[in-house]
mmCIF file of all heavy atoms in Angstrom:
data_model
loop_
_atom_site.group_PDB
_atom_site.id
_atom_site.type_symbol
_atom_site.label_atom_id
_atom_site.label_comp_id
_atom_site.label_asym_id
_atom_site.label_seq_id
_atom_site.Cartn_x
_atom_site.Cartn_y
_atom_site.Cartn_z
ATOM 1 N N GLN M 1 101.663 99.393 120.684
ATOM 2 C CA GLN M 1 102.481 100.392 120.048
ATOM 3 C C GLN M 1 103.807 99.758 119.642
ATOM 4 O O GLN M 1 104.322 100.021 118.537
ATOM 5 C CB GLN M 1 102.773 101.574 120.981
ATOM 6 C CG GLN M 1 103.637 102.646 120.409
ATOM 7 C CD GLN M 1 102.910 103.354 119.191
ATOM 8 O OE1 GLN M 1 101.724 103.763 119.321
ATOM 9 N NE2 GLN M 1 103.538 103.440 118.047
ATOM 10 N N ARG M 2 104.373 98.913 120.440
ATOM 11 C CA ARG M 2 105.644 98.237 120.056
ATOM 12 C C ARG M 2 105.403 97.367 118.864
ATOM 13 O O ARG M 2 106.268 97.294 117.931
ATOM 14 C CB ARG M 2 106.168 97.399 121.215
ATOM 15 C CG ARG M 2 106.739 98.227 122.413
ATOM 16 C CD ARG M 2 107.529 97.421 123.399
ATOM 17 N NE ARG M 2 106.783 96.265 123.818
ATOM 18 C CZ ARG M 2 106.142 96.216 125.075
ATOM 19 N NH1 ARG M 2 106.117 97.187 125.872
ATOM 20 N NH2 ARG M 2 105.574 95.053 125.332
ATOM 21 N N ILE M 3 104.322 96.687 118.806
ATOM 22 C CA ILE M 3 104.008 95.817 117.592
ATOM 23 C C ILE M 3 103.839 96.645 116.397
ATOM 24 O O ILE M 3 104.387 96.335 115.302
ATOM 25 C CB ILE M 3 102.702 94.987 117.911
ATOM 26 C CG1 ILE M 3 102.992 93.865 118.974
ATOM 27 C CG2 ILE M 3 102.171 94.325 116.589
ATOM 28 C CD1 ILE M 3 101.727 93.208 119.446
ATOM 29 N N GLN M 4 103.091 97.756 116.480
ATOM 30 C CA GLN M 4 102.857 98.671 115.378
ATOM 31 C C GLN M 4 104.274 99.235 114.924
ATOM 32 O O GLN M 4 104.451 99.304 113.630
ATOM 33 C CB GLN M 4 101.920 99.791 115.808
ATOM 34 C CG GLN M 4 101.765 100.846 114.718
ATOM 35 C CD GLN M 4 100.829 101.949 115.245
ATOM 36 O OE1 GLN M 4 99.660 101.662 115.622
ATOM 37 N NE2 GLN M 4 101.346 103.169 115.296
ATOM 38 N N ASP M 5 105.104 99.636 115.811
ATOM 39 C CA ASP M 5 106.367 100.213 115.440
ATOM 40 C C ASP M 5 107.184 99.166 114.622
ATOM 41 O O ASP M 5 107.836 99.474 113.601
ATOM 42 C CB ASP M 5 107.204 100.612 116.618
ATOM 43 C CG ASP M 5 106.587 101.888 117.261
ATOM 44 O OD1 ASP M 5 105.707 102.550 116.647
ATOM 45 O OD2 ASP M 5 106.960 102.213 118.432
ATOM 46 N N ARG M 6 107.140 97.925 115.045
ATOM 47 C CA ARG M 6 107.921 96.842 114.396
ATOM 48 C C ARG M 6 107.324 96.569 113.043
ATOM 49 O O ARG M 6 108.100 96.341 112.079
ATOM 50 C CB ARG M 6 107.962 95.608 115.307
ATOM 51 C CG ARG M 6 108.677 94.494 114.613
ATOM 52 C CD ARG M 6 110.156 94.729 114.629
ATOM 53 N NE ARG M 6 110.888 93.666 114.028
ATOM 54 C CZ ARG M 6 111.872 93.676 113.073
ATOM 55 N NH1 ARG M 6 112.210 94.868 112.702
ATOM 56 N NH2 ARG M 6 112.356 92.658 112.636
ATOM 57 N N LEU M 7 106.015 96.579 112.893
ATOM 58 C CA LEU M 7 105.416 96.307 111.625
ATOM 59 C C LEU M 7 105.772 97.367 110.588
ATOM 60 O O LEU M 7 106.185 97.153 109.452
ATOM 61 C CB LEU M 7 103.865 96.261 111.727
ATOM 62 C CG LEU M 7 103.348 95.061 112.512
ATOM 63 C CD1 LEU M 7 101.850 95.308 112.837
ATOM 64 C CD2 LEU M 7 103.481 93.797 111.708
ATOM 65 N N CYS M 8 105.770 98.636 111.047
ATOM 66 C CA CYS M 8 106.146 99.754 110.150
ATOM 67 C C CYS M 8 107.539 99.700 109.749
ATOM 68 O O CYS M 8 107.915 99.947 108.608
ATOM 69 C CB CYS M 8 105.761 101.129 110.834
ATOM 70 S SG CYS M 8 104.063 101.437 111.056
ATOM 71 N N GLU M 9 108.407 99.336 110.711
ATOM 72 C CA GLU M 9 109.814 99.201 110.348
ATOM 73 C C GLU M 9 110.060 98.096 109.348
ATOM 74 O O GLU M 9 110.842 98.235 108.406
ATOM 75 C CB GLU M 9 110.613 98.802 111.710
ATOM 76 C CG GLU M 9 112.020 98.523 111.504
ATOM 77 C CD GLU M 9 112.688 98.049 112.887
ATOM 78 O OE1 GLU M 9 112.311 98.562 113.901
ATOM 79 O OE2 GLU M 9 113.516 97.094 112.754
ATOM 80 N N LEU M 10 109.320 96.943 109.539
ATOM 81 C CA LEU M 10 109.496 95.830 108.548
ATOM 82 C C LEU M 10 109.006 96.271 107.163
ATOM 83 O O LEU M 10 109.639 95.891 106.184
ATOM 84 C CB LEU M 10 108.703 94.620 108.999
ATOM 85 C CG LEU M 10 109.277 93.868 110.234
ATOM 86 C CD1 LEU M 10 108.273 92.889 110.790
ATOM 87 C CD2 LEU M 10 110.613 93.184 109.813
ATOM 88 N N ILE M 11 107.994 97.039 107.083
ATOM 89 C CA ILE M 11 107.441 97.469 105.806
ATOM 90 C C ILE M 11 108.368 98.476 105.149
ATOM 91 O O ILE M 11 108.678 98.321 103.967
ATOM 92 C CB ILE M 11 106.022 98.136 105.991
ATOM 93 C CG1 ILE M 11 104.992 96.978 106.314
ATOM 94 C CG2 ILE M 11 105.612 98.852 104.782
ATOM 95 C CD1 ILE M 11 103.631 97.477 106.761
ATOM 96 N N ARG M 12 108.890 99.406 105.905
ATOM 97 C CA ARG M 12 109.735 100.443 105.344
ATOM 98 C C ARG M 12 111.091 99.894 104.922
ATOM 99 O O ARG M 12 111.683 100.368 104.029
ATOM 100 C CB ARG M 12 109.892 101.554 106.379
ATOM 101 C CG ARG M 12 108.713 102.476 106.455
ATOM 102 C CD ARG M 12 108.969 103.735 107.343
ATOM 103 N NE ARG M 12 107.847 104.613 107.273
ATOM 104 C CZ ARG M 12 106.993 104.741 108.269
ATOM 105 N NH1 ARG M 12 107.159 104.139 109.386
ATOM 106 N NH2 ARG M 12 105.939 105.592 108.114
ATOM 107 N N SER M 13 111.594 98.860 105.643
ATOM 108 C CA SER M 13 112.958 98.390 105.406
ATOM 109 C C SER M 13 112.952 97.124 104.494
ATOM 110 O O SER M 13 114.029 96.531 104.250
ATOM 111 C CB SER M 13 113.652 98.090 106.646
ATOM 112 O OG SER M 13 113.060 96.996 107.342
ATOM 113 N N ARG M 14 111.836 96.750 103.938
ATOM 114 C CA ARG M 14 111.789 95.509 103.148
ATOM 115 C C ARG M 14 112.502 95.649 101.870
ATOM 116 O O ARG M 14 112.616 96.780 101.325
ATOM 117 C CB ARG M 14 110.265 95.110 102.899
ATOM 118 C CG ARG M 14 109.529 96.016 101.924
ATOM 119 C CD ARG M 14 108.083 95.641 101.906
ATOM 120 N NE ARG M 14 107.394 96.253 100.806
ATOM 121 C CZ ARG M 14 106.966 97.546 100.834
ATOM 122 N NH1 ARG M 14 107.149 98.348 101.872
ATOM 123 N NH2 ARG M 14 106.406 98.052 99.733
ATOM 124 N N PRO M 15 112.999 94.568 101.298
ATOM 125 C CA PRO M 15 113.613 94.566 99.964
ATOM 126 C C PRO M 15 112.517 94.965 98.928
ATOM 127 O O PRO M 15 111.352 94.756 99.104
ATOM 128 C CB PRO M 15 114.011 93.161 99.697
ATOM 129 C CG PRO M 15 113.988 92.463 100.973
ATOM 130 C CD PRO M 15 112.983 93.245 101.931
ATOM 131 N N PRO M 16 112.989 95.581 97.774
ATOM 132 C CA PRO M 16 112.037 96.045 96.783
ATOM 133 C C PRO M 16 111.075 95.003 96.212
ATOM 134 O O PRO M 16 109.946 95.316 95.934
ATOM 135 C CB PRO M 16 113.009 96.605 95.669
ATOM 136 C CG PRO M 16 114.239 96.963 96.360
ATOM 137 C CD PRO M 16 114.363 95.962 97.459
ATOM 138 N N ALA M 17 111.528 93.771 96.163
ATOM 139 C CA ALA M 17 110.651 92.782 95.555
ATOM 140 C C ALA M 17 109.653 92.184 96.566
ATOM 141 O O ALA M 17 108.733 91.378 96.198
ATOM 142 C CB ALA M 17 111.543 91.604 95.117
ATOM 143 N N LEU M 18 109.636 92.652 97.809
ATOM 144 C CA LEU M 18 108.749 92.109 98.782
ATOM 145 C C LEU M 18 107.629 93.092 99.076
ATOM 146 O O LEU M 18 107.839 94.272 99.347
ATOM 147 C CB LEU M 18 109.545 91.924 100.122
ATOM 148 C CG LEU M 18 109.169 90.802 101.103
ATOM 149 C CD1 LEU M 18 109.172 89.463 100.422
ATOM 150 C CD2 LEU M 18 110.164 90.806 102.248
ATOM 151 N N ASN M 19 106.366 92.604 99.054
ATOM 152 C CA ASN M 19 105.259 93.496 99.231
ATOM 153 C C ASN M 19 105.006 93.612 100.799
ATOM 154 O O ASN M 19 105.617 92.844 101.559
ATOM 155 C CB ASN M 19 103.999 93.078 98.508
ATOM 156 C CG ASN M 19 103.451 91.722 99.076
ATOM 157 O OD1 ASN M 19 103.128 91.600 100.223
ATOM 158 N ND2 ASN M 19 103.266 90.769 98.163
ATOM 159 N N PRO M 20 104.230 94.551 101.283
ATOM 160 C CA PRO M 20 104.004 94.740 102.726
ATOM 161 C C PRO M 20 103.533 93.455 103.427
ATOM 162 O O PRO M 20 103.951 93.214 104.567
ATOM 163 C CB PRO M 20 103.036 95.893 102.760
ATOM 164 C CG PRO M 20 103.263 96.674 101.518
ATOM 165 C CD PRO M 20 103.570 95.611 100.514
ATOM 166 N N ALA M 21 102.643 92.792 102.887
ATOM 167 C CA ALA M 21 102.068 91.560 103.558
ATOM 168 C C ALA M 21 103.231 90.513 103.726
ATOM 169 O O ALA M 21 103.340 89.928 104.778
ATOM 170 C CB ALA M 21 100.932 90.958 102.740
ATOM 171 N N ALA M 22 104.008 90.349 102.690
ATOM 172 C CA ALA M 22 105.094 89.375 102.775
ATOM 173 C C ALA M 22 106.157 89.817 103.856
ATOM 174 O O ALA M 22 106.761 89.050 104.483
ATOM 175 C CB ALA M 22 105.717 89.180 101.400
ATOM 176 N N ALA M 23 106.374 91.165 103.867
ATOM 177 C CA ALA M 23 107.354 91.778 104.801
ATOM 178 C C ALA M 23 106.993 91.499 106.237
ATOM 179 O O ALA M 23 107.954 91.320 107.052
ATOM 180 C CB ALA M 23 107.554 93.205 104.526
ATOM 181 N N VAL M 24 105.761 91.475 106.585
ATOM 182 C CA VAL M 24 105.393 91.281 107.996
ATOM 183 C C VAL M 24 105.071 89.866 108.377
ATOM 184 O O VAL M 24 104.774 89.543 109.540
ATOM 185 C CB VAL M 24 104.246 92.235 108.401
ATOM 186 C CG1 VAL M 24 104.608 93.668 108.179
ATOM 187 C CG2 VAL M 24 102.919 91.824 107.729
ATOM 188 N N ARG M 25 104.961 89.001 107.396
ATOM 189 C CA ARG M 25 104.423 87.629 107.589
ATOM 190 C C ARG M 25 105.189 86.860 108.735
ATOM 191 O O ARG M 25 104.530 86.334 109.598
ATOM 192 C CB ARG M 25 104.702 86.835 106.279
ATOM 193 C CG ARG M 25 104.254 85.385 106.358
ATOM 194 C CD ARG M 25 104.604 84.625 105.107
ATOM 195 N NE ARG M 25 103.812 83.431 105.077
ATOM 196 C CZ ARG M 25 102.559 83.315 104.558
ATOM 197 N NH1 ARG M 25 101.985 84.363 104.024
ATOM 198 N NH2 ARG M 25 101.947 82.153 104.579
ATOM 199 N N GLY M 26 106.480 86.825 108.649
ATOM 200 C CA GLY M 26 107.266 86.073 109.707
ATOM 201 C C GLY M 26 106.975 86.583 111.131
ATOM 202 O O GLY M 26 106.779 85.855 112.080
ATOM 203 N N PHE M 27 106.959 87.962 111.221
ATOM 204 C CA PHE M 27 106.732 88.600 112.572
ATOM 205 C C PHE M 27 105.300 88.229 113.104
ATOM 206 O O PHE M 27 105.109 87.930 114.184
ATOM 207 C CB PHE M 27 106.868 90.084 112.399
ATOM 208 C CG PHE M 27 106.581 90.859 113.710
ATOM 209 C CD1 PHE M 27 107.435 90.834 114.747
ATOM 210 C CD2 PHE M 27 105.459 91.647 113.768
ATOM 211 C CE1 PHE M 27 107.181 91.506 115.947
ATOM 212 C CE2 PHE M 27 105.127 92.350 114.947
ATOM 213 C CZ PHE M 27 106.060 92.309 116.035
ATOM 214 N N VAL M 28 104.310 88.281 112.202
ATOM 215 C CA VAL M 28 102.959 88.094 112.599
ATOM 216 C C VAL M 28 102.788 86.636 113.025
ATOM 217 O O VAL M 28 102.197 86.315 114.089
ATOM 218 C CB VAL M 28 101.959 88.430 111.496
ATOM 219 C CG1 VAL M 28 100.546 87.973 111.818
ATOM 220 C CG2 VAL M 28 101.967 89.910 111.129
ATOM 221 N N LEU M 29 103.302 85.651 112.238
ATOM 222 C CA LEU M 29 103.216 84.248 112.587
ATOM 223 C C LEU M 29 103.974 83.913 113.802
ATOM 224 O O LEU M 29 103.538 83.049 114.614
ATOM 225 C CB LEU M 29 103.626 83.416 111.389
ATOM 226 C CG LEU M 29 102.630 83.440 110.213
ATOM 227 C CD1 LEU M 29 103.206 82.643 109.000
ATOM 228 C CD2 LEU M 29 101.308 82.880 110.595
ATOM 229 N N GLU M 30 105.127 84.549 114.016
ATOM 230 C CA GLU M 30 105.899 84.319 115.255
ATOM 231 C C GLU M 30 105.023 84.777 116.434
ATOM 232 O O GLU M 30 105.024 84.121 117.527
ATOM 233 C CB GLU M 30 107.179 85.225 115.278
ATOM 234 C CG GLU M 30 108.400 84.484 114.817
ATOM 235 C CD GLU M 30 109.573 85.441 114.865
ATOM 236 O OE1 GLU M 30 109.712 86.240 115.864
ATOM 237 O OE2 GLU M 30 110.389 85.425 113.956
ATOM 238 N N GLY M 31 104.377 85.926 116.307
ATOM 239 C CA GLY M 31 103.469 86.337 117.369
ATOM 240 C C GLY M 31 102.304 85.382 117.685
ATOM 241 O O GLY M 31 102.031 85.101 118.848
ATOM 242 N N VAL M 32 101.724 84.849 116.670
ATOM 243 C CA VAL M 32 100.697 83.822 116.835
ATOM 244 C C VAL M 32 101.279 82.632 117.542
ATOM 245 O O VAL M 32 100.713 82.091 118.529
ATOM 246 C CB VAL M 32 100.022 83.433 115.510
ATOM 247 C CG1 VAL M 32 99.142 82.169 115.647
ATOM 248 C CG2 VAL M 32 99.217 84.591 114.897
ATOM 249 N N ASP M 33 102.487 82.103 117.095
ATOM 250 C CA ASP M 33 103.098 80.976 117.745
ATOM 251 C C ASP M 33 103.431 81.271 119.166
ATOM 252 O O ASP M 33 103.421 80.439 120.051
ATOM 253 C CB ASP M 33 104.263 80.490 116.941
ATOM 254 C CG ASP M 33 103.896 79.912 115.599
ATOM 255 O OD1 ASP M 33 102.694 79.503 115.459
ATOM 256 O OD2 ASP M 33 104.744 79.886 114.679
ATOM 257 N N GLY M 34 103.804 82.594 119.458
ATOM 258 C CA GLY M 34 104.179 82.951 120.765
ATOM 259 C C GLY M 34 103.057 82.900 121.816
ATOM 260 O O GLY M 34 103.328 82.865 123.024
ATOM 261 N N ILE M 35 101.863 82.745 121.337
ATOM 262 C CA ILE M 35 100.699 82.637 122.265
ATOM 263 C C ILE M 35 100.920 81.421 123.104
ATOM 264 O O ILE M 35 100.565 81.403 124.300
ATOM 265 C CB ILE M 35 99.361 82.480 121.444
ATOM 266 C CG1 ILE M 35 99.064 83.879 120.852
ATOM 267 C CG2 ILE M 35 98.249 81.986 122.289
ATOM 268 C CD1 ILE M 35 97.883 83.849 119.864
ATOM 269 N N ARG M 36 101.524 80.337 122.594
ATOM 270 C CA ARG M 36 101.803 79.121 123.337
ATOM 271 C C ARG M 36 102.669 79.401 124.637
ATOM 272 O O ARG M 36 102.523 78.653 125.566
ATOM 273 C CB ARG M 36 102.633 78.093 122.452
ATOM 274 C CG ARG M 36 101.878 77.519 121.326
ATOM 275 C CD ARG M 36 102.816 76.591 120.590
ATOM 276 N NE ARG M 36 102.011 75.777 119.645
ATOM 277 C CZ ARG M 36 101.901 76.151 118.336
ATOM 278 N NH1 ARG M 36 102.570 77.189 117.873
ATOM 279 N NH2 ARG M 36 101.213 75.344 117.530
ATOM 280 N N ASP M 37 103.475 80.421 124.567
ATOM 281 C CA ASP M 37 104.335 80.765 125.698
ATOM 282 C C ASP M 37 103.681 81.560 126.816
ATOM 283 O O ASP M 37 104.346 81.736 127.826
ATOM 284 C CB ASP M 37 105.595 81.476 125.173
ATOM 285 C CG ASP M 37 106.338 80.643 124.216
ATOM 286 O OD1 ASP M 37 106.306 79.431 124.280
ATOM 287 O OD2 ASP M 37 107.000 81.295 123.289
ATOM 288 N N ILE M 38 102.430 81.944 126.607
ATOM 289 C CA ILE M 38 101.794 82.678 127.674
ATOM 290 C C ILE M 38 101.322 81.753 128.699
ATOM 291 O O ILE M 38 100.600 80.822 128.469
ATOM 292 C CB ILE M 38 100.607 83.476 127.063
ATOM 293 C CG1 ILE M 38 101.050 84.476 126.049
ATOM 294 C CG2 ILE M 38 99.802 84.201 128.160
ATOM 295 C CD1 ILE M 38 99.902 85.189 125.244
ATOM 296 N N PRO M 39 101.766 81.992 129.973
ATOM 297 C CA PRO M 39 101.317 81.047 131.041
ATOM 298 C C PRO M 39 99.866 81.052 131.203
ATOM 299 O O PRO M 39 99.155 82.083 131.099
ATOM 300 C CB PRO M 39 101.986 81.698 132.359
ATOM 301 C CG PRO M 39 103.090 82.517 131.787
ATOM 302 C CD PRO M 39 102.679 83.048 130.468
ATOM 303 N N PRO M 40 99.316 79.789 131.365
ATOM 304 C CA PRO M 40 97.828 79.725 131.483
ATOM 305 C C PRO M 40 97.191 80.683 132.510
ATOM 306 O O PRO M 40 96.065 81.170 132.300
ATOM 307 C CB PRO M 40 97.623 78.233 131.890
ATOM 308 C CG PRO M 40 98.835 77.532 131.345
ATOM 309 C CD PRO M 40 99.940 78.559 131.420
ATOM 310 N N GLU M 41 97.852 80.882 133.629
ATOM 311 C CA GLU M 41 97.299 81.739 134.639
ATOM 312 C C GLU M 41 97.242 83.190 134.188
ATOM 313 O O GLU M 41 96.511 83.991 134.800
ATOM 314 C CB GLU M 41 98.123 81.581 135.965
ATOM 315 C CG GLU M 41 99.477 82.060 135.958
ATOM 316 C CD GLU M 41 100.532 81.004 135.446
ATOM 317 O OE1 GLU M 41 100.148 79.926 134.927
ATOM 318 O OE2 GLU M 41 101.757 81.203 135.591
ATOM 319 N N LEU M 42 97.984 83.575 133.153
ATOM 320 C CA LEU M 42 97.928 84.929 132.635
ATOM 321 C C LEU M 42 97.039 85.048 131.425
ATOM 322 O O LEU M 42 96.730 86.164 130.895
ATOM 323 C CB LEU M 42 99.337 85.487 132.302
ATOM 324 C CG LEU M 42 100.281 85.572 133.507
ATOM 325 C CD1 LEU M 42 101.614 86.040 132.951
ATOM 326 C CD2 LEU M 42 99.781 86.487 134.488
ATOM 327 N N TRP M 43 96.653 83.916 130.870
ATOM 328 C CA TRP M 43 95.969 83.874 129.533
ATOM 329 C C TRP M 43 94.712 84.697 129.535
ATOM 330 O O TRP M 43 94.414 85.434 128.600
ATOM 331 C CB TRP M 43 95.803 82.414 129.154
ATOM 332 C CG TRP M 43 95.109 82.210 127.820
ATOM 333 C CD1 TRP M 43 93.970 81.506 127.593
ATOM 334 C CD2 TRP M 43 95.468 82.817 126.541
ATOM 335 N NE1 TRP M 43 93.653 81.566 126.241
ATOM 336 C CE2 TRP M 43 94.534 82.340 125.609
ATOM 337 C CE3 TRP M 43 96.502 83.632 126.109
ATOM 338 C CZ2 TRP M 43 94.613 82.690 124.311
ATOM 339 C CZ3 TRP M 43 96.572 83.990 124.811
ATOM 340 C CH2 TRP M 43 95.635 83.503 123.862
#
């Protein structure tokens, strides 16, 4: 739910020249990169 809320916020507040996919790109890729920070015992 927190992820969904953030995605919707990014889409709604994006600059006019940015489409929805471009608006969420950084957040999504940060999330993928954040997988590295999950402790192996919790993975």
Side-chain angles (χ1 to χ4, degrees):
Q1 183 64 51
R2 289 191 310 258
I3 290 170
Q4 178 180 298
D5 291 347
R6 181 66 179 136
L7 292 168
C8 289
E9 176 187 321
L10 289 167
I11 290 168
R12 285 187 174 107
S13 66
R14 73 188 190 277
L18 211 57
N19 68 56
V24 303
R25 180 186 196 87
F27 177 73
V28 173
L29 290 172
E30 264 180 41
V32 169
D33 292 340
I35 291 171
R36 290 181 171 97
D37 300 330
I38 298 171
E41 64 274 12
L42 298 178
W43 181 232

